[in-house]
Amino acid sequence: MTTLPDLPHDSPATPHDLEVMREQLGRDMRGVVSIARRCGCGRPAVVRTAPRLEDGTPFPTSFYLTLPWLTLELSRLEATGMMAELSQRLEQDEQLAAAYRGAHERYLARRAELGDAEEVRHVSAGGMPTRVKCLHAVAGQALAEGPGVNLIADEVLAGIPGAFPELTCRCQAADEDAAEAR
Ligand SMILES: [Zn+2]
């Protein structure tokens, strides 16, 4: 197996990160290996997770998005029916489809660096390799790996101000929105 380059933004998860993630998710984040990407403010944005949780459950989502404002933006896009459109484009555009298959292979190879969960050995995330089913999952990969690995996710993220390739902090504005909604 060829060795992949190091993840460009990866850093250790500190006890403080675990606390922040608990706030972000409203529960403990399980299977944390490292922080694959941080928001501009330093908060965890994408967590790299173990292929198998401590209780033995396989955990295929190797790059897990935790950043609330970005999660919300992607959920809004999902609500517009964007995944059906993107899946259709994959059927029509052979070049894009090949790139997406490459992103799938990369996802599996990256996860294999951390161990093996044979039940999900051929399962990546987000609908890869032929469909787009979860924008959060594919965006997690793009944010962790940088541009050019998952072209579908690159394009989706490019449509969100401040999300990609730099990840600018919008946490404060999101906190204020949430406060107003209360
Ligand atoms: Zn932030």
Side-chain angles (χ1 to χ4, degrees), residues 39-43 67 69 168-172:
C39 184
C41 63
R43 289 182 171 115
L67 190 64
W69 70 259
T168 313
C169 181
R170 286 168 55 186
C171 292
Q172 204 184 344

Side-chain angles (χ1 to χ4, degrees), residues 7 46 62-65 100 102-108 110 124-125 128 135-147 149-151 153-154 157 164:
L7 284 169
V46 177
S62 204
F63 295 116
Y64 195 94
L65 189 68
Y100 199 58
H104 167 74
E105 294 299 329
R106 173 82 160 228
Y107 203 98
L108 297 180
R110 207 43 112 177
S124 59
M128 292 188 281
L135 297 183
H136 304 84
V138 293
Q141 181 184 26
L143 289 161
E145 295 272 14
V149 168
N150 190 315
L151 301 187
D154 289 6
L157 286 167
F164 200 69

Side-chain angles (χ1 to χ4, degrees), residues 17-18 20-30 32 34-39 42-49 59 61 63-72 74 136-137 139-140 143 167 171:
D17 289 331
L18 298 179
V20 173
M21 286 188 277
R22 188 177 303 133
E23 267 169 46
Q24 289 174 324
L25 301 169
R27 57 177 167 79
D28 284 326
M29 180 67 212
R30 300 195 295 168
V32 177
S34 60
I35 307 302
R37 189 65 189 261
R38 292 176 184 277
C39 184
R43 289 182 171 115
V46 177
V47 189
R48 198 172 186 203
T49 65
F59 197 77
T61 309
F63 295 116
Y64 195 94
L65 189 68
T66 65
L67 190 64
W69 70 259
L70 189 51
T71 301
L72 184 63
L74 290 164
H136 304 84
L143 289 161
L167 184 52
C171 292

